[in-house]
Each structure stands twice: as structure tokens, then as C-alpha cells.
Amino acid sequence: MPAPTDPNRVIVFDTTLRDGEQSPGCSMNQGEKLELAHALAALGVDVIEAGFPIASPGDFESVQAIARQVHGPVICGLARCNPADIDRAADAVADAARPRVHVFLATSSIHREFKLKMSRDEVVRRAVEGVKRARDRVEDVEFSPEDAARTELDFLAEVVEKAVEAGATTLNIPDTVGYAVPSHYAGIIRHLKQHVRGIDRCVLSVHCHDDLGLAVANSLAALTEGARQVECTVNGIGERAGNTSLEEVVMALHTRRDFYGLSTGIDTRHLYPVSRKLSNVTGMQVQRNKAIVGQNAFAHEAGIHQDGMLKERSTYEIMRPEDVGIPATELVLGKHSGRHALKQRVAALGYHLTDDQLNRLFDEFKRLADRKKEIYDADLEALAENQLQAGTGSVWALEGFTSTAGTGSQTSAAVALRHQDGSVRRDAAVGNGPIDALFKAINRVTGAQVKVVDYRVRSVTQDMDALGEAQVEVEHAGRRSRARAVSVDVVEASALAYLEVVNRVASRQLRDRLKPTDNVPTEVVPGA
Ligand code: KIV
Ligand code: ZN
């Protein structure tokens, strides 16, 4: 990507679908990734890091689908510094209007000695080869010296200079383990700007993790030293404590333009809808007091504050909720609302549904409206999410169930599940409560052997007839998967969510069986 002509324009590089998606409980299927990528494009991010194509055939296909179908941003694929990774990433993004390959190699002494077992010279040689190979395939190549914040400054400058000579167009300086503090990190950027020949030909980028709660502060400090790309994720999701939160860094630049004098291409009114979409898709709730997009971010409880707000908003409010897309009033739909009103509201909530999905959504909406007087945005989001989850090649679908519960009696459940081959299979189980019995009955039919590590039920809105949402997280073969489902009946929502997670595990097993067997170095997949 050519550097923007405005020297004060910051490139927003979103890695929700790569660094974010790699974190436990945040995995998404291809349909969900595409939906999010469209939302990120509408938000105005400059670069979407769509995934790590060598990681699995599913990752490759998702990156390729995004490269083909999402227009506007640069589409980027991640690769380690080896030929197989780089070729796979370049193939995956090949059909994008503006493809980028992002190659990385660890440079810190800890990583060199214990992980890579490589000398400094070997690291430089591999980095140069990697950047050159990527440049043979695409014009736009980003290089990251992984764990840069803990790398000796002289060596970091050497690797980076060689990467520039080899043709890197963006140089990213990751604080992989969230070790940096603002003045230290800003100092690294300053040092590189002063000592690396040719650095002005490249965009300097920052990539921070939040282990010390400093990812946004570190990113902003680096921007004041001339970095012009910020790597971030929606809701700050990411490995361990997460990555720089997109909404926080963007709103800091926007709200304190007087101080930073920098701008982005983000349409801030999409921030809240995208945040909601991500948490609906992953089932990972945003903490109530999270800056910008948390439920309490604009709530004023104290009497003195409320009084001040009524007199003059700016007494206690530095941003307006509408600026980040929090709806001032919620449009309530009911059983007399038509298809058109529904379609418009769903689009306003940021959902990009096909006609078929919209038709099915309308039917579900009508069924819900028969059981529930008023339908709020949160209900519509839940229904729209159902549509995005549905029809993704599930092995099993719920035909029906019964469950009994009561004090003193043993609880039991019976299920009928439809297999994708069309047959309906039934079984029953007893358990420790109706949900336990239901999950066991599903296991008996599907043969699933998963361990439930988290199970939650919540009401989507506040009213008595609210939709209930169930979330289930399971562990299988050392990996976690999560799914959610909604229904006015929480037991049914639980069965649907459990079945969805069982389906996800089954399709992952299938994908893993199809994994490529290229001779890929066994260096760990970056969780960083
Ligand atoms: O944190 C990190 O170092 C990374 C790299 C792959 C850029 O995510
Ligand atoms: Zn990272």
C-alpha cells in the first residue's frame, strides 16, 4: 500500500480476524469472518489481516474468500519466513485488488536462543530471504521482527534495515508479549527512525499486546514518534490480555486531535455496531465498563454528574454516544412490522444478509413476534446471528427434544437429531439436571466427546418474555470452541448452542484431516 500523501494520516490495520481470532474462544467460521470483514470495510479500516493461510485449509479458504469478496481495504495474509508459508499467503490474497503479505520472524535473544535456535546472522539471512520471496509475489510486503520490544536495539535496527533493502514496504515493530511501557516503546521507534537507512521509504507500524494494560498507550506513544500504521483489533480481542483496541486508539486520536494532530479513515459511527457484531459472533461479551463500547461507557449514574449533563453535556462527556454509533433511541418492531422495516433495521445494525437469509430471518421474526410483544435491536441481532450460523454445512440439526426436571426426581432428556444424510436419530439420557441430561443425550447420538468448560444463559433484553441466549464453550483435543444460540425457551437455546459447538468440532476435525503436508518448520504458530 503506498503511504498516504497526508503525513498525518494513520493507517488502521485490523487484525481481528488473525491475531484476534487466534485467541481462545474467539474462533469464527468462514461465513462469520466474511460478515465481519464486510463490516470492517464499512467501518473504514485500511488493511484487513484476514488470517494465517498456512494454518489450515479453512484459514486459507477464509482469507481467499475475503480477498475475492471484500472490496476497499488492502487484504493481508500472514506468513512465517519460510517459502511454504509465504507462497500459501500470497496464493490466498492473490485475487484481492490490493494484496499484502506479512512476513514475520522473531529477533529477540530469548526467541533466537530458545525457540528458533538461530544466530543473529541466520535470522538476518532468513528475514531477507522471506521479504524477497514475498516481494516476488506482491508489491506490498510487511515485515515484523517478532518480540521487537525485547530485541537488542542495535540488532533490531540491523534486521529492519536489511528488510528495507530487501523490499519491505511496511515495517511493523511488535511488542509481542506486552512488555513495553509508553516512553520505552516510543524510544524504540525514535531510535529506528534515526538509525535505519531508507526507513523513510517505508511505513512504520506498531503492534502492541495488552499484558500490562498499556497496548493503547504504547501505540499512541509510538504514533507521536512518527509511526503511521497502528495494528489493532475490535474490542481489543487477542492472545492473552489482547491487542490494542481499535475503538480506543481511534477515538483517542479523534477526540484528542488537538493533541495528536493525526487522523484516520474510520467512520466512527460504525464502531459500536462492529463491536456488537463481534461479541455476538464470538460470544465474548464486552466488559460493562470498557471504554467506548462498554454498556456503561456513556452511562451517568452520580447525581452531580446527571445534573451537570442536563445543564451542559460537555461537563461530563468528552464524546457523544452517537459519534460511536450508539443509537440514541431504539426502534422497536412488533408483529405488524413489515419485511421492509425489518430489512432496513437489520442493515442499520450492520448485518450483510443474503435474500435467503433475510427471508428466513423474517419468518423467525414473525414467529418471535407471536410470542413476544416488542422486539428490540438486541433481539434482531440475535436472530441475525442465528442466520449467519445456520446453513454452514452442519452435520447435525435439532429436530426435537423433551426434558424433565423436578425436585427429588431424576432428570432425563430425549433428543431427535437430523444427520446431514437425512436420517433422524434418537436417544435419551439421564443427568444431573435437565441441561446435563440433554447434553448427554446429544453426545449419545453424535458420539461427541467434548468437555464443557463454560456454559452461560442470559436474557437478551430485560422484559419477562425476553429471548434467552445460551453460550457453550467446550474443549476437544486441547482446543476450545464456543457457540451460542437463542430461543424464548432457554432449554432449547442450550440444546441448539451445544449442538452447534458439536458441529463446529466435527467440521474442524474434518478440516484437520485435510491439512496440507508440506514440509513446514515446526516453529509454533504465532499466538502473539
Ligand atoms: O505479536 C506479534 O508479534 C504478532 C506478529 C505475528 C506480528 O502478532
Ligand atoms: Zn500479535
Side-chain angles (χ1 to χ4, degrees):
M1 175 174 180
T5 40
D6 175 359
N8 296 326
R9 169 72 155 72
V10 174
I11 296 167
V12 175
F13 176 111
D14 180 275
T15 184
T16 308
L17 298 175
R18 198 280 296 169
D19 220 346
E21 203 256 351
Q22 278 174 204
S23 60
C26 288
S27 57
M28 296 172 228
N29 63 33
Q30 185 176 316
E32 292 166 340
K33 286 184 188 173
L34 255 175
E35 176 70 16
L36 244 141
H38 281 297
L40 290 169
L43 173 67
V45 306
D46 301 287
V47 185
I48 295 177
E49 186 164 52
F52 188 22
I54 195 84
S56 72
D59 281 53
F60 178 89
E61 283 158 22
S62 297
V63 176
Q64 189 173 56
I66 292 169
R68 289 179 176 164
Q69 296 175 44
V70 178
H71 308 295
V74 168
I75 307 297
C76 174
L78 182 70
R80 289 166 295 187
C81 263
N82 68 65
D85 271 44
I86 294 167
D87 294 350
R88 195 91 176 127
D91 289 345
V93 296
D95 294 335
R98 293 186 299 152
R100 173 180 295 187
V101 172
H102 176 188
V103 289
F104 75 98
L105 182 64
T107 50
S108 66
S109 59
I110 300 178
H111 282 236
R112 290 194 316 263
E113 186 180 341
F114 298 106
K115 185 179 89 173
L116 300 175
K117 307 205 185 312
M118 281 184 200
S119 66
R120 281 185 171 203
D121 288 349
E122 177 70 357
V123 167
V124 172
R125 189 179 64 73
R126 287 276 300 269
V128 167
E129 281 172 10
V131 171
K132 284 191 172 154
R133 190 171 185 105
R135 265 313 289 263
D136 285 344
R137 297 289 306 271
V138 290
E139 292 277 293
D140 187 349
V141 173
E142 172 165 335
F143 174 71
S144 287
E146 191 191 5
D147 203 17
R150 290 192 301 169
T151 301
E152 309 88 313
L153 261 186
D154 62 331
F155 181 56
L156 183 63
E158 182 189 338
V159 182
V160 162
E161 189 166 299
K162 291 286 175 4
V164 178
E165 275 171 29
T169 45
T170 296
L171 287 169
N172 182 41
I173 307 301
D175 179 20
T176 303
V177 292
Y179 177 71
V181 295
S183 50
H184 159 222
Y185 194 56
I188 298 176
I189 302 295
R190 196 178 322 126
H191 181 90
L192 295 177
K193 282 220 106 171
Q194 285 166 359
H195 295 91
V196 173
R197 247 175 305 148
I199 201 158
D200 293 337
R201 295 202 299 274
C202 294
V203 174
L204 252 180
S205 168
V206 290
H207 176 113
C208 297
H209 282 266
D210 210 27
D211 299 68
L212 293 173
L214 292 170
V216 172
N218 288 339
S219 302
L220 291 168
L223 293 176
T224 62
E225 291 296 335
R228 283 296 175 269
Q229 173 174 287
V230 64
E231 302 202 349
C232 44
T233 60
V234 174
N235 297 342
I237 65 164
E239 191 72 8
R240 307 181 308 277
N243 287 56
T244 299
S245 143
L246 182 150
E247 53 282 353
E248 291 178 23
V249 79
V250 164
M251 286 313 286
L253 293 176
H254 186 86
T255 309
R256 296 307 311 274
R257 188 134 194 213
D258 60 317
F259 181 78
Y260 291 105
L262 299 172
S263 66
T264 69
I266 296 294
D267 179 347
T268 61
R269 291 164 308 168
H270 285 248
L271 288 171
Y272 181 71
V274 174
S275 156
R276 293 279 307 196
K277 186 188 286 285
L278 179 70
S279 63
N280 283 328
V281 163
T282 57
M284 183 115 134
Q285 297 297 313
V286 168
Q287 85 199 47
R288 276 180 93 106
N289 63 334
K290 160 101 172 56
I292 319 298
V293 290
Q295 210 179 320
N296 290 358
F298 293 91
H300 300 271
E301 186 74 23
I304 296 175
H305 290 204
Q306 287 176 348
D307 181 52
M309 284 283 292
L310 289 173
K311 290 177 176 142
E312 166 55 45
R313 276 175 87 156
S314 61
T315 48
Y316 286 101
E317 202 167 76
I318 60 166
M319 299 166 274
R320 296 178 311 166
E322 53 271 35
D323 293 341
V324 301
I326 296 179
T329 52
E330 192 165 32
L331 187 71
V332 181
L333 299 180
K335 77 193 238 180
H336 300 297
S337 307
R339 196 180 289 266
H340 188 64
L342 178 75
K343 188 173 169 181
Q344 279 199 328
R345 193 64 198 152
V346 169
L349 292 171
Y351 287 88
H352 196 263
L353 300 185
T354 62
D355 286 346
D356 274 357
Q357 287 171 327
L358 271 168
N359 288 339
R360 283 196 300 268
L361 177 81
F362 187 66
D363 293 343
E364 273 200 43
F365 166 76
K366 284 287 170 188
R367 268 197 297 277
L368 181 62
D370 277 339
R371 297 165 83 174
K372 188 173 185 302
K373 218 166 107 228
E374 291 175 322
I375 298 187
Y376 299 97
D377 285 350
D379 296 316
L380 289 184
E381 285 173 353
L383 296 183
E385 290 305 324
N386 272 0
Q387 289 310 317
L388 292 176
Q389 274 193 7
T392 49
S394 300
V395 181
W396 298 102
L398 184 67
E399 280 279 304
F401 75 93
T402 53
S403 76
T404 57
T407 40
S409 62
Q410 186 153 49
T411 50
S412 63
V415 293
L417 304 182
R418 180 176 292 279
H419 190 263
Q420 61 186 9
D421 66 11
S423 62
V424 175
R425 306 186 197 170
R426 300 167 203 278
D427 215 325
V430 291
N432 198 5
I435 304 298
D436 186 43
L438 200 53
F439 289 3
K440 283 183 173 145
I442 291 176
N443 288 349
R444 288 174 69 97
V445 177
T446 61
Q449 289 179 333
V450 296
K451 180 170 163 225
V452 176
V453 290
D454 197 13
Y455 165 67
R456 293 166 202 217
V457 191
R458 72 173 185 108
S459 98
V460 170
T461 52
Q462 268 93 44
D463 31 354
M464 283 294 285
D465 58 356
L467 273 180
E469 180 190 72
Q471 281 183 33
V472 184
E473 189 172 344
V474 301
E475 203 172 86
H476 174 78
R479 284 160 79 184
R480 290 193 174 198
S481 304
R482 186 195 289 245
R484 59 172 285 291
V486 288
S487 165
V488 278
D489 173 349
V490 288
V491 182
E492 182 179 53
S494 306
L496 289 168
Y498 187 66
L499 200 54
E500 173 61 26
V501 89
V502 165
N503 277 323
R504 286 183 180 204
V505 170
S507 54
R508 200 177 59 209
Q509 278 177 306
L510 197 68
R511 281 202 311 267
D512 286 350
R513 262 182 256 138
L514 300 174
K515 249 186 185 161
T517 51
D518 336 14
N519 187 18
V520 178
T522 51
E523 180 190 320
V524 287
V525 166

